[in-house]
Amino acid sequence: MVTLESVQTAADRIRHDVIRTPLLVNETLDASLGCRLFFKAENLQHTGAFKARGAANAVRNLTPQQADSGVVTHSSGNHAAALARMARRVGIAAHVVMPHNSSVMKINAVRSYGVEPIFCEPASDQREAKAAEVMQQTGATMVHPFESHDVICGQGTMALELLEQVDDLDAVIVPVGGGGLLAGTLTSLKNTRPSIRVCAAEPAWADDTFRSLQSGQHEQPARYDTIGDGLRTQVGQQTLPIIRQFLDDIFLVTETEIAEATRTLIQHTRTIVEPSGAVAFAALSQQRSQFAGQRVAVVISGGNLDLSQGQYFRG
Amino acid sequence: MVTLESVQTAADRIRHDVIRTPLLVNETLDASLGCRLFFKAENLQHTGAFKARGAANAVRNLTPQQADSGVVTHSSGNHAAALARMARRVGIAAHVVMPHNSSVMKINAVRSYGVEPIFCEPASDQREAKAAEVMQQTGATMVHPFESHDVICGQGTMALELLEQVDDLDAVIVPVGGGGLLAGTLTSLKNTRPSIRVCAAEPAWADDTFRSLQSGQHEQPARYDTIGDGLRTQVGQQTLPIIRQFLDDIFLVTETEIAEATRTLIQHTRTIVEPSGAVAFAALSQQRSQFAGQRVAVVISGGNLDLSQGQYFRG
């Protein structure tokens, strides 16, 4: 079970493995949006995403026997690189199953940590089948990108830092894909400062969490091709109950809003932001009237943008 | 006279006006360069450059009578925006003389703080003549981008933060243009931790400081068209003596090295860096063998890059 204590234990366990990411402020955006913004810059985390936290906690919590057989995951994105990094850091094997159509940048990120990806067909069941096969052959421990208890606890450490970095927050906005970051954040915040409103932001083109919260059961999204590629995954069996218990609100944002938010954040925060990492800010921009005058933390969850994608650099 | 005490006073005076910028670390660059790097991210400072520090100290230190008549400066770059910001912040007039060929981005930055630039011919004597004319007409106080005592002290606060943020530094590398940041840094560091080596980095195409240190008198540079446009100014009468007294070494970098350093920093630190802001890192890269195994702080002095300049975004 994911508890405040398990997140606090994770924070202690991974303190030498992750960056205490800066909280960025921006006078221009404050003035134009009419609130006081604090950007939790997980795009400046190791591997360029909050995923470094969960991967670190999972790898550091392996038993010696488990460590001997290494770890395995399937991911097309930032979790793959984060797990490869941690495996190299502690000197164990990592097996990373990636869809053969993953972006070259993300494949290269995994390779940069000395891991050659195992390619598979993109469909979800194919990825899981290939990962299961690797587990069987190697005895490696599965570190799921968001269903793993240790991964959720690791992601929740972001919010504990936030509480140390800024006082009197009114609200926090967090993107949701598989829900690991959101569930961890809710666990951290609702068990310490329950009056802070925690809101999720989700692409309208990957709206399964929104639909699932409405219907009360796991739903499929409208479609699955949002530019927020880190959020194309379906919300987890482990994370949805935590989200349902604690979440205050969820906002859907359009592709245009995500692209505009990406450009705005790059221009004004002067950091590289990937579209998934701009989804929480897109929601804040859309809902600015309800946050007027408030102190709002907005999570920039990742910064692995293919820099040749000039469309996010305003001339 | 610029003293440690005057820098410490500045730090206290401007503490609510500037960002305590984060110190970024990067495992990939550490591994490829063979040293432990700490990037002082002044590109994440208000207005995107360390210039916010000096402008804040100068404006906060005006007498009430001086404040009534406003401030004036001439600058084609980041100091202009920094002064405009501070003037608006405290509610006084700012007169900013800019060459008519200044970049649109930098003109717009000044306008974004409610100041309409006064345009002049680009030549140095024309700029000074126009600024003198404005002083005469308005009674405004000149806040020179690097010859002002208060500006130099303000820039020196960067180094005081650095000492609080990291222990056991072996060296610090700072870019030099007019020399305000370098002189302030030397004052801070050589009066507290004289064993830390302080090195300057200068474009070979704006090498007047290098030449002046060699000859013992103020020299002209080889040429003045480096892509590090923030460093095209000649080193100051106030700053050169401080630099001569304290500086340990100075490195010249080529245009190719600056461009490559700009790309590398954007890619790996995931922050926006302008070419001037990458000159210190270019020097570190060039001189990596002499910094092997050391703990080195590298100042990223600014991040006002025209984002349509796709050449700094590697595909």
Side-chain angles (χ1 to χ4, degrees):
Chain A
M1 200 188 149
V2 179
T3 64
L4 176 62
E5 292 66 35
S6 59
V7 179
Q8 288 167 330
T9 301
D12 187 56
R13 190 182 282 136
I14 68 175
R15 68 190 184 283
H16 299 303
D17 296 313
V18 301
I19 292 172
R20 183 187 169 87
T21 52
L23 202 60
L24 307 178
V25 297
N26 191 280
E27 297 173 332
T28 307
L29 294 177
D30 284 359
S32 77
L33 289 159
C35 52
R36 184 90 170 86
L37 293 171
F38 302 91
F39 295 102
K40 184 60 172 164
E42 288 295 300
N43 53 335
L44 305 184
Q45 184 56 265
H46 290 305
T47 72
F50 71 92
K51 298 283 189 182
R53 298 176 183 271
N57 192 43
V59 168
R60 288 287 178 200
N61 205 22
L62 295 170
T63 65
Q65 291 86 339
Q66 288 174 319
D68 281 347
S69 302
V71 287
V72 59
T73 198
H74 54 91
S75 159
S76 59
N78 291 328
H79 175 70
L83 191 66
R85 167 182 176 263
M86 273 309 297
R88 186 165 78 170
R89 200 167 157 81
V90 303
I92 65 172
H95 309 280
V96 173
V97 175
M98 297 186 85
H100 61 70
N101 62 351
S102 302
S103 85
V104 172
M105 186 186 61
K106 289 183 172 171
I107 293 170
N108 286 343
V110 172
R111 285 182 172 147
S112 78
Y113 294 107
V115 173
E116 180 57 31
I118 302 157
F119 293 104
C120 69
E121 295 301 313
S124 189
D125 56 343
Q126 298 280 312
R127 289 160 58 161
E128 285 178 20
K130 180 54 100 177
E133 189 187 311
V134 174
M135 280 179 75
Q136 192 111 41
Q137 288 167 352
T138 61
T141 298
M142 167 60 71
V143 180
H144 192 278
F146 51 85
E147 294 287 49
S148 151
H149 170 273
D150 287 342
V151 168
I152 298 170
C153 293
Q155 319 304 32
T157 63
M158 181 280 294
L160 295 183
E161 285 177 17
L162 195 56
L163 291 178
E164 291 170 2
Q165 290 172 308
V166 60
D167 289 328
D168 299 326
L169 281 179
D170 295 298
V172 178
I173 308 180
V174 185
V176 58
L181 180 63
L182 181 56
T185 298
L186 287 163
T187 302
S188 294
L189 295 182
K190 290 301 180 180
N191 290 298
T192 52
R193 311 275 174 87
S195 65
I196 299 176
R197 230 176 124 211
V198 181
C199 304
E202 190 174 42
W205 285 9
D207 62 346
D208 60 290
T209 303
F210 181 87
R211 288 170 182 247
S212 300
L213 288 170
Q214 284 204 317
S215 78
Q217 58 193 38
H218 258 77
E219 301 288 345
Q220 296 292 319
R223 42 196 290 180
Y224 251 149
D225 50 355
T226 172
I227 54 169
D229 62 345
L231 306 177
R232 284 178 193 159
T233 42
Q234 207 173 341
V235 66
Q237 300 290 342
Q238 304 303 316
T239 53
L240 183 58
I242 300 170
I243 295 169
R244 184 174 288 126
Q245 183 184 354
F246 288 125
L247 191 68
D248 290 296
D249 213 339
I250 182 166
F251 307 118
L252 294 180
V253 293
T254 67
E255 297 296 292
T256 307
E257 287 171 329
I258 299 169
E260 178 63 23
T262 304
R263 277 190 292 267
T264 301
L265 285 180
I266 292 171
Q267 184 185 1
H268 288 288
T269 70
R270 296 186 177 85
T271 68
I272 304 290
V273 179
E274 63 182 281
S276 304
V279 164
F281 180 66
L284 180 279
S285 302
Q286 181 196 75
Q287 299 290 324
R288 66 184 73 180
S289 60
Q290 70 167 283
F291 292 103
Q294 297 190 7
R295 292 166 65 83
V296 185
V298 172
V299 180
I300 302 179
S301 54
N304 289 310
L305 184 68
D306 182 344
L307 294 178
S308 65
Q309 289 182 41
Q311 71 266 36
Y312 299 115
F313 303 118
R314 181 177 279 140
Chain B
M1 200 189 149
V2 179
T3 64
L4 175 62
E5 292 65 36
S6 59
V7 179
Q8 288 166 332
T9 300
D12 187 55
R13 190 181 282 135
I14 67 175
R15 68 189 185 285
H16 299 303
D17 297 313
V18 301
I19 292 172
R20 183 187 167 87
T21 53
L23 203 61
L24 307 178
V25 297
N26 192 280
E27 298 173 331
T28 307
L29 293 176
D30 284 358
S32 77
L33 289 158
C35 52
R36 184 90 169 86
L37 293 172
F38 302 91
F39 295 102
K40 183 62 172 162
E42 288 295 300
N43 53 336
L44 305 185
Q45 183 56 265
H46 290 304
T47 72
F50 71 92
K51 298 284 189 182
R53 297 175 183 273
N57 192 43
V59 168
R60 289 285 178 198
N61 205 23
L62 294 171
T63 66
Q65 290 86 339
Q66 288 175 319
D68 281 346
S69 303
V71 288
V72 58
T73 197
H74 55 90
S75 158
S76 59
N78 291 328
H79 176 69
L83 191 66
R85 167 182 175 263
M86 272 310 295
R88 186 164 78 168
R89 199 168 158 81
V90 303
I92 66 172
H95 308 280
V96 173
V97 175
M98 297 186 84
H100 60 69
N101 62 351
S102 301
S103 86
V104 172
M105 186 185 63
K106 288 181 174 173
I107 293 170
N108 286 341
V110 172
R111 286 183 172 148
S112 78
Y113 294 107
V115 174
E116 180 57 32
I118 301 157
F119 294 104
C120 69
E121 294 302 313
S124 189
D125 56 344
Q126 298 281 311
R127 289 160 57 161
E128 285 177 23
K130 180 54 100 176
E133 189 188 313
V134 173
M135 279 177 75
Q136 192 111 42
Q137 288 168 353
T138 61
T141 299
M142 168 60 72
V143 181
H144 192 280
F146 50 85
E147 294 288 48
S148 151
H149 171 272
D150 287 342
V151 168
I152 298 170
C153 293
Q155 319 304 30
T157 64
M158 181 280 294
L160 295 183
E161 285 176 18
L162 195 56
L163 291 178
E164 292 169 3
Q165 291 172 307
V166 60
D167 290 327
D168 299 326
L169 280 179
D170 295 299
V172 178
I173 308 180
V174 184
V176 59
L181 180 64
L182 181 57
T185 298
L186 287 163
T187 303
S188 294
L189 295 181
K190 290 301 181 182
N191 290 298
T192 52
R193 311 277 173 83
S195 66
I196 298 177
R197 229 176 126 211
V198 181
C199 304
E202 190 173 43
W205 285 9
D207 62 345
D208 60 288
T209 304
F210 181 88
R211 288 169 183 248
S212 301
L213 289 171
Q214 284 203 318
S215 78
Q217 57 193 40
H218 258 79
E219 301 288 347
Q220 296 291 319
R223 45 195 288 180
Y224 251 148
D225 50 355
T226 172
I227 54 169
D229 61 345
L231 307 177
R232 285 178 192 159
T233 41
Q234 207 172 343
V235 68
Q237 301 289 343
Q238 304 303 317
T239 53
L240 183 57
I242 301 170
I243 295 169
R244 182 175 288 126
Q245 183 183 354
F246 288 124
L247 191 69
D248 291 295
D249 213 339
I250 182 166
F251 308 118
L252 295 179
V253 293
T254 67
E255 298 296 292
T256 306
E257 287 170 329
I258 298 169
E260 178 64 23
T262 304
R263 276 190 293 268
T264 300
L265 284 180
I266 292 172
Q267 184 185 0
H268 287 289
T269 70
R270 296 186 178 85
T271 68
I272 304 291
V273 179
E274 63 182 280
S276 305
V279 164
F281 179 66
L284 181 278
S285 302
Q286 180 195 74
Q287 299 290 325
R288 66 185 73 181
S289 61
Q290 69 167 284
F291 293 104
Q294 295 190 8
R295 292 165 66 83
V296 185
V298 172
V299 180
I300 302 178
S301 54
N304 289 311
L305 184 69
D306 182 344
L307 295 178
S308 63
Q309 288 183 41
Q311 71 266 35
Y312 298 116
F313 304 117
R314 181 176 278 140

